[in-house]
Amino acid sequence: MTATIIDGKAFAGRVRDRVGAHVARLKEEHGITPGLAVVLVGDDPASDVYVRSKGKMTKAVGMLSLEYRLKADVAQDEVLRLVGDLNANPEVHGILVQLPLPRHMEESRILAAIDPAKDVDGFHISNVGLLSTGQRAMVPCTPLGCLMMLRDHHGDLTGMDAVVIGRSNIVGKPMAQLLLGESCTVTIAHSRTRNLPEVVRRADIVVAAVGRPKMVTGDWIKPGATVIDVGINRTDNGLVGDVDFDSASQVAGAITPVPGGVGPMTIACLLANTVTACCRANGLAEPDGLTV
Ligand code: GUN
């Protein structure tokens, strides 16, 4: 068997087109331009690449892009002050503080300072609670992108066995909540799970988000399963996922590649979340299909 490749790059392009169309409508009909503010503290090269890319895409869909770059040794209070200013700025509908933050900062305090209504990352504890209780939340971008691809591929996910490998607050836990919301039977596995290959072999849907290059091999996969690879691991041989694509694609029914799978969906969903936040802030209808 050779798996269907789920083309995240093309899918992300369609999501951005829908976001762009909605932005144009908001401008034309309501005179509102959705705005996204991104805060980068320090000069981590990978974060710098992400932030640049976010700014470029934000402008490309017609939104206002604000970028704040602070030195690595900036005082935490200064970051908190900036977040407070952005919370109060009516031109800003979405705020993203790029992680990881320098070690002297308390990530939880900074994330807690973001107005939950502008929390387009979905990391604020209020949004985490809303998502886990099945209420309308801002949903973290990477799991949202994974869910969009799964829904697009399968339609209804009811009753499917899903195994999420990884228990991070950014991907694993919210992904599990989203899949529960789709009425999947969900297992959260992780690096300490006993008999991990056996657990994964039960799954109709595998979401790999552990950050270990090519850890999930073809013999872990149930024939015909759908495999979503969230891993972005830089190796001497370039970017690789958490899944060994060559062996897994011989067994899976469908699989996302790295690069070109989940990665492009994350930024597309950030733009989608910003439009959603803008619509909610203004009491306007939200675009269809861009959130859960
Ligand atoms: N760093 C890596 N991924 C993310 C993300 O999704 N959001 C933020 N804020 N920082 C990140």
Side-chain angles (χ1 to χ4, degrees):
M1 182 189 276
T2 305
T4 301
I5 309 295
I6 299 177
D7 185 346
K9 195 172 167 196
F11 198 129
R14 294 194 291 277
V15 171
R16 286 198 305 272
D17 288 347
R18 291 220 300 278
V19 170
H22 208 83
V23 170
R25 213 168 319 140
L26 284 169
K27 286 181 179 173
E28 248 173 65
E29 295 175 10
H30 303 282
I32 298 169
T33 302
L36 172 64
V38 174
V39 178
L40 174 61
V41 186
D43 45 18
D44 176 65
S47 293
D48 179 66
V49 171
Y50 287 133
V51 167
R52 260 178 227 274
S53 180
K54 284 167 187 166
K56 217 167 76 184
M57 301 270 187
T58 304
K59 287 180 199 140
V61 294
M63 300 199 295
L64 172 70
S65 168
L66 301 175
E67 211 173 278
Y68 298 85
R69 288 171 179 265
L70 305 177
K71 290 208 160 60
D73 60 358
V74 69
Q76 174 165 292
D77 280 351
E78 202 160 314
V79 180
L80 290 171
R81 215 169 12 246
L82 172 59
V83 168
D85 289 348
L86 295 171
N87 284 343
N89 184 343
E91 286 193 329
V92 172
H93 303 94
I95 301 169
L96 180 147
V97 177
Q98 183 69 27
L99 303 178
L101 286 163
R103 294 164 77 93
H104 68 282
M105 292 198 185
E106 294 160 278
E107 188 179 292
S108 59
R109 253 193 91 188
I110 291 179
L111 296 180
I114 297 171
D115 177 349
K118 297 189 177 188
D119 170 35
V120 282
D121 259 330
F123 295 164
H124 190 286
I125 216 107
S126 296
N127 282 313
V128 176
L130 289 168
L131 177 62
S132 70
T133 51
Q135 300 180 71
R136 199 178 71 165
M138 294 306 303
V139 178
C141 304
T142 301
L144 178 58
C146 295
L147 183 66
M148 282 185 189
M149 291 192 286
L150 285 167
R151 277 180 168 173
D152 184 66
H153 185 74
H154 286 284
D156 188 6
L157 306 178
T158 300
M160 295 179 85
D161 274 314
V163 172
V164 178
I165 317 172
R167 52 179 156 176
S168 70
N169 293 333
I170 295 183
V171 184
K173 288 179 198 160
M175 186 75 243
Q177 294 293 356
L178 288 172
L179 291 165
L180 267 180
E182 301 292 307
S183 301
C184 292
T185 303
V186 182
T187 302
I188 305 180
H190 45 79
S191 56
R192 308 289 288 272
T193 297
R194 248 183 256 151
N195 304 325
L196 184 56
E198 227 168 89
V199 171
V200 174
R201 261 193 298 274
R202 291 204 298 260
D204 304 308
I205 294 170
V206 180
V207 180
V210 266
R212 295 201 181 173
K214 298 191 182 189
M215 185 178 84
V216 179
T217 47
D219 55 324
W220 294 28
I221 306 294
K222 175 158 102 177
T226 298
V227 179
I228 307 289
D229 188 353
V230 180
I232 300 179
N233 305 292
R234 279 162 230 282
T235 70
D236 293 342
N237 299 320
L239 274 192
V240 301
D242 291 348
V243 177
D244 177 42
F245 183 86
D246 290 344
S247 62
S249 61
Q250 296 303 308
V251 188
I255 188 167
T256 60
V258 175
V262 174
M265 285 299 287
T266 297
I267 295 185
C269 287
L270 173 66
L271 306 177
N273 275 351
T274 305
V275 172
T276 299
C278 176
C279 292
R280 288 178 185 172
N282 289 284
L284 298 170
E286 293 170 28
D288 278 338
L290 292 183
T291 190
V292 287

